Amino acid sequence: MHLSQKVNGEMVTVEVGDIELDQQYDVIVAGLGTSGAIALIMAASKGLKVLGIERMNCMGGMGTAGSVNGYYFGSSGGLYEQLDQKVTALVDTVYTKSSAYNVEAKKYVLEQEAIKYGAELAFESAITGVYLDGQQVKGASWVGPDGIQSASCKVLIDCTGDGEVCNLAGCTFNYGRTLDGKTQPFTSVKVFAAGNKVSWRNFDSGCTNQTDGNELSKALVFAHAQHLEDSYSDENRLLHLAPLLGIREGRLIEGEETVTLQHFFADETSNKPVFYAYADIDKHGRDNAFESQLLKDWFVASNLGAVNVTVPIPLGAMIPKGFEGLLAAGRCLAVDHDLSTCVRMNRDMQKSGEAAATAAWLAITKGTSIKEISYEELIAHLAETGCFNPANNKGYQFAYPGDRKPAQPITWLTDPAEIHQGLTSIQPGVAIWSSSRLGESIRESLKAWIHEEDEKLRKHSAFALALIDDEACLPMLREMMRERDAVMLQDCRKNNQLRGYMAIYLLGRMRDKDVVLELIRLITDPEEMERPLYQLEDGADKVRQNKYNDVYFQFFSHSIMALIHIGEHHTTLQEVIGTALKQAVGNGEYIERITHKPNGTYLYSIAENIRSVVERKLLRWA
């Protein structure tokens, strides 16, 4: 047996021989946050001897220490709903009824449930090492108020959010998007008194690599300081800042099954889910130009960024590939970067904790490997609480948070007449994506429609043709780009795109060399900013009040990436394109045209990152 640890940032493995550790548990849960609190309570309620290790001084994660009070999307059903009912009852009898802010009540309920079932808690403690026999996890060491301790376990459940335990064990991970390794922005939460009520607000505070201690510390300090720039009054007083940052994405394990956006869109998902994740592909960022082609096809070219999708999550997505006795629950599940934007809602992360604990219990009681437990038996137990419920498989929907409006199910179109009708509207997204799914069978119709009198039909048919790689789209895309088409499509409740930069993205996707000079003018000509399209008016809208020109950022960033894609395909153009890219971003003046927010803010970071992307690409061309 060996002990795997991290020392000064480096992994160190120490042979310890055939030793017996001081303490023995059935299950150790590392991290008692959103998923871990539920995993601990579920495992203990099944009669297992369970230890929970938490680096903070409470359970609940973002729902308590993170002050994110309530839910966005995610699917219903599961142990968490029973606990939420107890929280609500406590709020009505102990905490002020004038406020729905109940994080203290949730802390209490989670702790009391854990104690009731005999779970042991180790607060202000952190995992320091993992004991392994080959690829079989045997136990863990941790440090806390009593110093360094160690214990054996039959199953170790990693609920640390960033897969800290899996990292110590030597598991394989993915991190960030392919282009630049960036993850989604993190959020910082303030709690404030609004009249006689307590409320909370969060905002995208920046980007960080939370696996780097120095970078994370700087991000914490800067994010918290930004809240003090707000205006306060007797009716709006800052109470406190949440001690836990809202990290949306970090390490993603490589699992026995990894769920990807490509497989999802191709209808190639698991037929053995343990729960269904449900949300929009909420990438929570403005820098769409730097995402994968598939995500841009959905988010930009089809304008479906706020469509809700249902993602089946199999048990294999919680089993690190090649390991035994180890499970991962929470946002480090085996999904790709593109889907991590969806599979991270608090409801669903609580479900992942319940599913992991139930699987661990079955494996322990049956005396078998987690990989060998009966799927039917696991599902039967998860169905008892509603964690697994086939009714949660809602497919694709237009939906609003909090059920403000009835959800509208989406059925992909196959009838050319229905697609024609969709493309003639200001909401063509479903017709565009349906065309991309149909491919060859709709090609000739689209090529005919691109010459019709109806402007919407012509332009939206061009988008659809681009997604099936048909060059008949190019003249119309060039026209939209040259006129800086400012029509915003209206498919979704948010994230709607302007046709002008949608066209620019698709021209880059098509590697159209004929638009190189026009794209160069867009990113280098000082007169570009004089277009009415980019002019800001104080108070015009929320984005512009923030001194951030999103319209210019989208046109500029998509043009940068279009030129890069064209240069990669047409190598003879690399010199002229490279010179233009250097001119566009070399002195950093473009950042002020995008935002006047200070260095360190999210809006500044996404603008500054354009130069980093360009420099890395040009280095490869050299």
Side-chain angles (χ1 to χ4, degrees):
M1 188 162 63
H2 65 273
L3 175 63
S4 181
Q5 301 172 301
K6 182 181 286 187
V7 179
N8 294 326
E10 301 293 333
M11 298 302 302
V12 176
T13 300
V14 179
E15 292 293 334
V16 295
D18 189 18
I19 64 170
E20 184 173 331
L21 300 177
D22 297 335
Q23 305 173 68
Q24 292 82 40
Y25 294 92
D26 293 317
V27 172
I28 294 176
V29 179
L32 301 179
T34 308
S35 61
I38 303 299
L40 180 83
I41 293 168
M42 176 55 73
S45 72
K46 295 290 190 182
L48 299 177
K49 185 180 180 183
V50 186
L51 170 67
I53 299 171
E54 169 56 45
R55 63 185 175 89
M56 302 189 77
N57 56 15
C58 67
M59 297 172 66
M62 286 308 299
T64 57
S67 291
V68 175
N69 183 60
Y71 299 113
Y72 180 55
F73 285 114
S75 56
S76 61
L79 174 62
Y80 80 86
E81 288 193 340
Q82 300 172 27
L83 300 176
D84 284 353
Q85 291 174 4
K86 295 183 179 182
V87 171
T88 301
L90 190 59
V91 169
D92 289 343
T93 57
V94 176
Y95 294 90
T96 172
K97 293 184 180 181
S98 66
S99 171
Y101 185 72
N102 59 22
V103 298
E104 296 301 326
K106 188 163 187 175
K107 289 179 188 177
Y108 177 80
V109 167
L110 293 173
E111 290 166 0
Q112 293 303 307
E113 288 292 307
I115 292 170
K116 178 176 75 175
Y117 291 115
E120 297 181 33
L121 301 173
F123 283 137
E124 299 193 358
S125 301
I127 295 284
T128 59
V130 176
Y131 289 94
L132 299 109
D133 183 1
Q135 299 294 94
Q136 173 80 46
V137 171
K138 292 290 189 178
S141 64
W142 68 96
V143 64
D146 293 325
I148 296 176
Q149 299 184 74
S150 59
S152 65
C153 62
K154 296 172 184 174
V155 176
L156 180 53
I157 305 179
D158 185 350
C159 299
T160 60
D162 268 307
E164 297 289 350
V165 173
C166 293
N167 184 44
L168 289 172
C171 301
T172 303
F173 292 93
N174 296 303
Y175 187 92
R177 61 193 179 196
T178 302
L179 179 71
D180 55 11
K182 296 290 185 181
T183 59
Q184 299 168 63
F186 68 86
T187 188
S188 177
V189 179
K190 74 172 181 180
V191 180
F192 60 97
N196 65 345
K197 294 184 178 181
V198 176
S199 189
W200 62 277
R201 184 178 73 85
N202 68 316
F203 69 95
D204 290 343
S205 309
C207 294
T208 189
N209 176 5
Q210 63 270 19
T211 66
D212 183 310
N214 290 330
E215 186 172 333
L216 177 60
S217 297
K218 291 177 182 177
L220 275 164
V221 172
F222 186 83
H224 289 165
Q226 289 182 70
H227 286 291
L228 298 180
E229 297 176 4
D230 293 343
S231 298
Y232 296 97
S233 65
D234 289 341
E235 294 299 314
N236 176 24
R237 288 294 181 192
L238 179 65
L239 298 179
H240 70 269
L241 303 179
L244 185 63
L245 280 186
I247 302 292
R248 294 189 174 97
E249 180 188 0
R251 296 189 186 100
L252 303 170
I253 66 166
E254 183 180 342
E256 290 295 329
E257 295 180 68
T258 296
V259 187
T260 70
L261 187 63
Q262 182 175 0
H263 288 145
F264 176 75
F265 281 153
D267 301 324
E268 297 173 351
T269 53
S270 173
N271 61 358
K272 292 185 177 181
V274 292
F275 69 92
Y276 293 98
Y278 175 74
D280 52 326
I281 301 178
D282 183 29
K283 66 178 294 294
H284 239 283
R286 305 303 303 166
D287 54 348
N288 306 324
F290 305 129
E291 299 294 346
S292 70
Q293 177 174 297
L294 185 59
L295 187 54
K296 285 185 287 191
D297 285 352
W298 172 261
F299 206 97
V300 180
S302 300
N303 196 46
L304 296 177
V307 166
N308 279 23
V309 300
T310 304
V311 183
I313 303 298
L315 180 61
M318 292 186 277
I319 304 175
K321 190 171 185 178
F323 284 81
E324 297 285 349
L326 180 62
L327 284 166
R331 58 177 166 78
C332 64
L333 295 176
V335 297
D336 65 355
H337 162 76
D338 292 346
L339 265 187
S340 71
T341 62
C342 170
V343 185
R344 61 174 181 82
M345 298 298 127
N346 283 345
R347 286 188 175 100
D348 300 331
M349 297 301 90
Q350 290 177 116
K351 285 174 175 286
S352 73
E354 179 176 344
T358 306
W361 167 70
L362 275 176
I364 291 169
T365 55
K366 299 290 184 180
T368 187
S369 164
I370 295 170
K371 300 173 186 176
E372 296 174 353
I373 62 175
S374 164
Y375 173 72
E376 289 72 20
E377 191 169 358
L378 174 60
I379 288 304
H381 288 287
L382 294 176
E384 290 176 1
T385 65
C387 180
F388 174 78
N389 183 353
N392 282 332
N393 187 4
K394 301 175 182 178
Y396 296 80
Q397 294 184 330
F398 289 110
Y400 284 75
D403 298 324
R404 292 200 298 266
K405 292 183 180 180
Q408 297 177 294
I410 296 173
T411 300
W412 302 121
L413 307 176
T414 57
D415 183 349
E418 292 182 342
I419 291 176
H420 180 281
Q421 182 179 1
L423 294 176
T424 60
S425 77
I426 198 64
Q427 298 172 317
V430 171
I432 292 171
W433 191 256
S434 296
S435 297
S436 74
R437 290 170 63 92
L438 290 174
E440 193 60 37
S441 65
I442 196 68
R443 184 186 300 275
E444 294 307 315
S445 296
L446 293 171
K447 290 171 73 172
W449 297 337
I450 207 169
H451 299 292
E452 294 289 335
E453 290 186 8
D454 186 286
E455 180 191 49
K456 295 187 186 72
L457 179 61
R458 294 198 311 272
K459 292 183 174 181
H460 303 159
S461 294
F463 291 156
L465 280 168
L467 292 185
I468 59 174
D469 301 312
D470 194 304
E471 293 185 356
C473 68
L474 293 178
M476 187 57 62
L477 294 179
R478 292 167 187 158
E479 177 183 320
M480 284 186 276
M481 181 269 291
R482 287 174 178 138
E483 70 183 29
R484 309 292 192 269
D485 191 326
V487 171
M488 178 179 286
L489 301 186
Q490 300 296 319
D491 294 280
C492 295
R493 59 186 169 81
K494 63 173 186 176
N495 297 328
N496 287 307
Q497 311 289 302
L498 298 188
R499 288 195 305 216
Y501 59 74
M502 293 169 70
I504 290 172
Y505 159 58
L506 291 170
L507 287 164
R509 188 186 188 275
M510 296 292 292
R511 276 61 172 176
D512 181 22
K513 65 180 181 179
D514 290 350
V515 295
V516 167
L517 293 181
E518 180 66 23
L519 291 175
I520 287 175
R521 277 194 292 271
L522 192 153
I523 65 172
T524 60
D525 187 351
E527 294 186 3
E528 176 71 20
M529 280 300 293
E530 300 304 315
R531 294 177 183 269
L533 177 67
Y534 308 126
Q535 302 314 305
L536 303 184
E537 298 177 5
D538 291 338
D541 56 47
K542 183 177 179 182
V543 171
R544 295 185 180 192
Q545 286 177 357
N546 287 336
K547 298 179 181 179
Y548 166 63
N549 193 328
D550 182 61
V551 174
Y552 181 72
F553 174 65
Q554 297 301 336
F555 273 93
F556 187 83
S557 59
H558 279 292
S559 295
I560 292 285
M561 287 308 302
L563 284 167
I564 287 174
H565 289 316
I566 294 168
E568 288 175 337
H569 186 73
H570 300 284
T571 57
T572 58
L573 295 175
Q574 286 184 357
E575 183 176 354
V576 66
I577 290 174
T579 299
L581 292 174
K582 290 177 184 178
Q583 180 184 346
V585 304
N587 59 14
E589 290 181 359
Y590 72 96
I591 296 176
E592 291 189 7
R593 298 195 294 272
I594 293 169
T595 181
H596 291 283
K597 286 290 187 177
N599 191 354
T601 60
Y602 171 67
L603 295 177
Y604 187 97
S605 69
I606 60 172
E608 183 182 44
N609 187 50
I610 297 175
R611 177 165 51 189
S612 299
V613 169
V614 168
E615 289 173 349
R616 282 193 296 272
K617 286 294 184 180
L618 295 186
L619 189 62
R620 294 180 183 177
W621 290 2

